[in-house]
Amino acid sequence: MSAIESVLQESRVFSPSAETVAGAVISGMDAYHALAAEAERDYDGFWAKLARETLSWHKPFTKVLDESNAPFYTWFEDGELNASYNSLDRHVEAGRGDRTAIIFEADDGTVTHVTYQDLLQRVSRFANALKRRGVKKGDRVVIYMPMSIEGVVAMQACARIGAPHSVVFGGFSSKSLNERLVDVGAVALVTADEQMRGGKALPLKRIADEALAMGGCEGVKSVIVYRRTGGDIEWHPERDAWMDELAQNESDRCEPEWVGAEHPLFVLYTSGSTGKPKGVQHSTGGYLLWAAQTMKWTFDWKPSDIFWCTADIGWVTGHTYITYGPLALGATQVMFEGVPTYPDGGRFWSTIEKHKVSIFYTAPTAIRSLIKIAEADQKVHPKSYDLSSLRILGTVGEPINPQAWVWYYENVGGSRCPIVDTWWQTETGGHMISPMPGATPLVPGSCTLPVPGIQAAIVDETGQDVPNGQGGILVIKRPWPGMLRTIWGDPERFKKSYFPAELGGKLYLAGDGSVRDKETGYFTIMGRIDDVLNVSGHRLGTMEIESALVANPIVAEAAVVGRPDETTGEAVVAFVVLKRPCPEGEEAVKLASELRAWVAKEIGPIAKPKDIRFGENLPKTRSGKIMRRLLRSLAKGEAITQDVSTLENPAILEQLAQAR
Ligand code: WT7
């Protein structure tokens, strides 16, 4: 069924129960509107109050939002704090050191509990070890690690000494890792011998060695290795050290480095519309406020909750809703090493049951794939588990189709748990448009209304507001504390990408198309308006994949587009022209599979094209521009109804229409 059909079939509104409203952090729509009105009345005062209540400041701030150097906005600039102090020490100092911070569920089901006290000691030891290896405030540390307590320890230790971290997702290739090490100018790399996922070991250290050998990152003096499997690895004694051995020799006390609120906490790379990923730079004060505040509001978080966000720490969701938001509040959370289908498709449900998870946050793509598995095998259906501990569900990363929403609501949430469909981005730091579970009536497929204080709007190409009911470009009208501060090393690109002159230079351009409902004003996200694809909630630049393809010596030209996909949301389709005659039959199948493997090696398995089609040429206008619109239709298998009279080579369409 198409997305449109399923939207049309679902027009129910799901309001929170009286019980959910009663105890909620934001209790009822009046409370939501009151917060939004308060922000409107006194924007600075609103955020200043929350920043004082939610965070602990070493030196209080006197300034709030500074717009004098727009769009390089600053927040709480003269205040000083430390993100790790806020995540750990203050809970221990308040007598909550025995509280469980992380319930770690390993791939093989082994469970480890870590208290706030333990975590503080481990972070302090590792922070001391980093310092001993010469890492100083302002130095960048790249983290290429599996989902692990050690991964959180590494991030928090960097924060403790004021060294911005840059986490690279463990599924990225050596080449992607190398590009990031070079761009961010890393002095150290923290990795693991191997990563365990679904019973299989993957060689992280070997990929890290390859990345370092590619050069350009000679500034990396230390490679620190977390011993996960004990598998065989190569060792460079002058450079490499074991994480556990380093920590053993260090004190478990480490005075946090107090940094200015604008000090960069981390840089996280994400895809844009050009070939080169952007290093999204976040601040310490504004970001941490955003992480903690949205965690409280959107998940209606209470100290009694067991929170579980299934994202990887390699993505922003893992930064904000594993490493920083939950810890800043002193929450107890589950952290999961494995995959949702191992040992079977019931893993999420059995883990919720086992740890009595009350707030569960995952991606639509995971839900869609688990629906298929559950419907085929009742043993791993959520109904076969006791999920009564759940009270709030969330989704993130891509639009959720109403059918999947309703399945999630009924089968996982027992028709009792509100679903928060959270729209946000790497750049926004945390949730921007999302239901508040104890207030907002839910409409499947809509992320509903902005977080209190956020002014989201839909405009046309000139930056003018469009009326509700009419689609347009999603923008944010005022700066917010959690926003990115710049693109690492490229302030011009920051300005151009996010505050384009075409829209007047003051609106934050999200890069998504959206429409608001005529009656409710609810937002529905329609997908990216730039050359960015969303595959299983992962952001991929079409240009990045094209560059990877043309880097192969047999490829002359390549164009990449997205195609709607039932499970992954979008799928990558590549149209390829070779430097040799257009292959056919078995040869084409063989070359397509070689090129898929090539892309996996160049970028990472997530970027592999699902479909590769060969042609003598690509459809181009007489001025040589590739007509991507036509390629998108071909990728979907649609008949070409567009006007092709401007096409240089119309015959090519037939050739490209054939899938491999
Ligand atoms: C892009 C951002 C936000 C953390 C994970 C992804 C899409 C995100 C939703 C949602 C529809 C969504 C947008 C956005 N997106 N959340 N609830 N409904 N689309 O972060 O990799 O920076 O990607 O993901 O297209 O621009 P990201």
Side-chain angles (χ1 to χ4, degrees):
M1 193 189 306
S2 76
I4 293 292
E5 277 173 86
S6 88
V7 172
L8 290 176
Q9 286 188 5
E10 191 49 74
S11 55
R12 279 178 288 172
V13 174
F14 298 77
S15 291
S17 68
E19 197 193 335
T20 306
V21 176
V25 172
I26 298 180
S27 176
M29 281 313 270
D30 288 349
Y32 166 80
H33 289 303
L35 280 173
E38 196 183 323
E40 186 118 7
R41 245 191 336 270
D42 175 10
Y43 201 63
D44 275 25
F46 180 74
W47 297 118
K49 179 165 165 264
L50 292 174
R52 286 189 193 106
E53 283 170 7
T54 308
L55 302 180
S56 301
W57 295 85
H58 180 67
K59 176 174 167 248
F61 56 87
T62 63
K63 299 203 290 187
V64 185
L65 168 63
D66 184 344
E67 304 187 77
S68 58
N69 190 25
F72 300 94
Y73 303 101
T74 65
W75 286 88
F76 320 117
E77 197 194 348
D78 60 347
E80 283 179 12
L81 76 170
N82 179 281
S84 148
Y85 176 85
N86 272 273
S87 305
L88 303 166
D89 309 57
R90 63 169 175 162
H91 309 310
V92 175
E93 286 167 14
R96 294 190 295 270
D98 289 341
R99 222 184 125 88
T100 299
I102 300 177
I103 304 169
F104 185 73
E105 165 95 19
D107 192 51
D108 67 2
T110 309
V111 176
T112 316
H113 284 247
V114 187
T115 65
Y116 274 90
Q117 174 69 42
D118 292 340
L119 196 59
L120 172 59
Q121 291 182 350
R122 290 171 71 159
V123 168
S124 299
R125 281 207 188 90
F126 193 58
N128 285 328
L130 286 172
K131 284 204 275 191
R132 196 176 299 276
R133 306 279 291 188
V135 181
K136 299 182 302 295
K137 177 181 175 188
D139 286 346
R140 277 82 59 207
V141 176
V142 167
I143 297 176
Y144 184 63
M145 291 179 85
M147 286 292 281
S148 52
I149 294 162
E150 285 72 9
V152 173
V153 166
M155 292 167 81
Q156 286 280 349
C158 288
R160 196 162 188 90
I161 65 172
H165 55 67
S166 187
V167 183
V168 177
F169 173 59
F172 274 120
S173 67
S174 53
K175 180 136 182 276
S176 297
L177 175 58
N178 172 268
E179 273 168 16
R180 287 156 175 76
L181 285 163
V182 172
D183 192 81
V184 86
V187 305
L189 170 63
V190 189
T191 187
D193 49 3
E194 295 179 307
Q195 171 171 30
M196 286 305 294
R197 282 166 65 83
K200 280 192 274 234
L202 306 160
L204 287 187
K205 172 66 160 64
R206 197 186 52 152
I207 298 171
D209 285 339
E210 277 170 26
L212 290 162
M214 287 174 184
C217 44
E218 287 69 25
V220 178
K221 300 294 180 215
S222 283
V223 176
I224 303 174
V225 188
Y226 155 49
R227 203 189 306 261
R228 169 61 184 89
T229 62
D232 258 358
I233 56 172
E234 266 183 39
W235 200 252
H236 303 262
E238 70 297 345
R239 190 194 72 187
D240 300 352
W242 288 106
M243 190 172 183
D244 50 359
E245 287 175 9
L246 286 185
Q248 254 165 32
N249 302 323
E250 299 293 343
S251 153
D252 59 12
R253 298 182 74 92
C254 172
E255 173 70 7
E257 179 82 40
W258 305 107
V259 299
E262 284 297 312
H263 186 71
L265 180 60
F266 65 85
V267 174
L268 182 60
Y269 285 83
T270 189
S271 297
S273 41
T274 72
K276 197 172 170 249
K278 309 188 260 203
V280 170
Q281 180 180 321
H282 277 287
S283 70
T284 301
Y287 169 81
L288 198 64
L289 171 62
W290 208 248
Q293 196 61 52
T294 52
M295 168 89 194
K296 213 190 270 181
W297 278 341
T298 309
F299 296 121
D300 188 41
W301 176 81
K302 317 269 172 49
S304 55
D305 279 307
I306 309 283
F307 177 74
W308 182 19
C309 163
T310 68
D312 193 284
I313 52 168
W315 309 114
V316 74
T317 309
H319 282 58
T320 306
Y321 300 107
I322 294 177
T323 304
Y324 291 110
L327 296 184
L329 294 179
T332 298
Q333 67 176 320
V334 172
M335 187 179 185
F336 176 47
E337 182 183 43
V339 296
T341 49
Y342 178 82
D344 60 40
R347 186 67 184 269
F348 274 3
W349 325 132
S350 66
T351 303
I352 292 170
E353 178 180 75
K354 180 162 153 196
H355 302 299
K356 303 203 164 28
V357 170
S358 59
I359 307 173
F360 179 62
Y361 191 34
T362 195
T365 192
I367 298 166
R368 286 193 298 263
S369 64
L370 295 178
I371 292 176
K372 276 196 202 156
I373 298 173
E375 295 303 329
D377 178 2
Q378 288 299 305
K379 277 205 303 297
V380 294
H381 195 283
K383 289 201 157 152
S384 306
Y385 301 81
D386 175 7
L387 305 182
S388 58
S389 57
L390 286 171
R391 63 177 200 95
I392 309 275
L393 302 175
T395 73
V396 60
E398 48 179 325
I400 178 160
N401 46 311
Q403 266 179 316
W405 193 103
V406 169
W407 187 90
Y408 190 35
Y409 186 79
E410 291 177 347
N411 296 290
V412 181
S415 301
R416 118 194 131 254
C417 309
I419 299 179
V420 289
D421 175 352
T422 60
W423 176 85
W424 60 296
Q425 310 176 291
T426 306
E427 292 87 341
T428 69
H431 304 150
M432 296 296 281
I433 306 180
S434 171
M436 297 295 121
T440 321
L442 306 170
V443 173
S446 167
C447 52
T448 74
L449 296 170
V451 164
I454 292 300
Q455 297 187 5
I458 300 181
V459 300
D460 63 18
E461 284 79 29
T462 64
Q464 297 305 307
D465 283 303
V466 304
N468 285 358
Q470 193 177 314
I473 301 169
L474 178 60
V475 296
I476 309 295
K477 290 194 160 176
R478 290 188 85 166
W480 66 100
M483 68 190 295
L484 80 164
R485 296 304 194 258
T486 188
I487 292 177
W488 181 262
D490 202 346
E492 272 313 303
R493 190 173 176 199
F494 165 75
K495 269 207 228 178
K496 270 210 216 116
S497 311
Y498 302 112
F499 295 92
E502 297 83 341
L503 299 183
K506 285 194 156 275
L507 302 175
Y508 169 81
L509 174 68
D512 281 312
S514 179
V515 61
R516 299 186 71 163
D517 183 79
K518 273 201 186 130
E519 273 100 65
T520 56
Y522 278 14
F523 287 80
T524 294
I525 306 296
M526 325 270 281
R528 301 287 306 191
I529 53 170
D530 51 10
D531 295 321
V532 170
L533 305 182
N534 191 328
V535 179
S536 299
H538 299 316
R539 213 162 126 176
L540 297 169
T542 51
M543 295 258 288
E544 251 175 287
I545 307 174
E546 287 166 10
S547 323
L549 284 166
V550 296
N552 186 299
I554 67 166
V555 175
E557 219 181 346
V560 166
V561 298
R563 171 179 75 202
D565 184 278
E566 262 201 12
T567 308
T568 58
E570 271 187 300
V572 178
V573 180
F575 294 89
V576 175
V577 182
L578 298 180
K579 289 177 186 161
R580 53 173 90 160
C582 181
E584 280 175 14
E586 257 174 47
E587 206 209 340
V589 174
K590 186 174 139 265
L591 288 176
S593 108
E594 275 175 34
L595 288 180
R596 259 196 286 279
W598 172 269
V599 172
K601 208 161 163 12
E602 287 283 296
I603 303 177
I606 51 173
K608 272 201 281 196
K610 182 153 188 191
D611 187 0
I612 294 189
R613 303 190 191 181
F614 297 103
E616 302 289 353
N617 206 333
L618 297 172
K620 289 180 190 152
T621 61
R622 290 195 183 95
S623 58
K625 208 168 137 3
I626 297 174
M627 295 192 65
R628 285 170 188 279
R629 241 179 340 106
L630 292 180
L631 291 178
R632 277 192 281 269
S633 299
L634 288 175
K636 277 194 249 177
E638 286 174 359
I640 302 290
T641 51
Q642 293 106 320
D643 177 16
V644 293
S645 59
T646 54
L647 211 58
E648 167 82 40
N649 48 352
I652 200 69
L653 295 176
E654 202 168 315
Q655 190 176 33
L656 293 171
Q658 284 151 39
R660 307 273 159 236

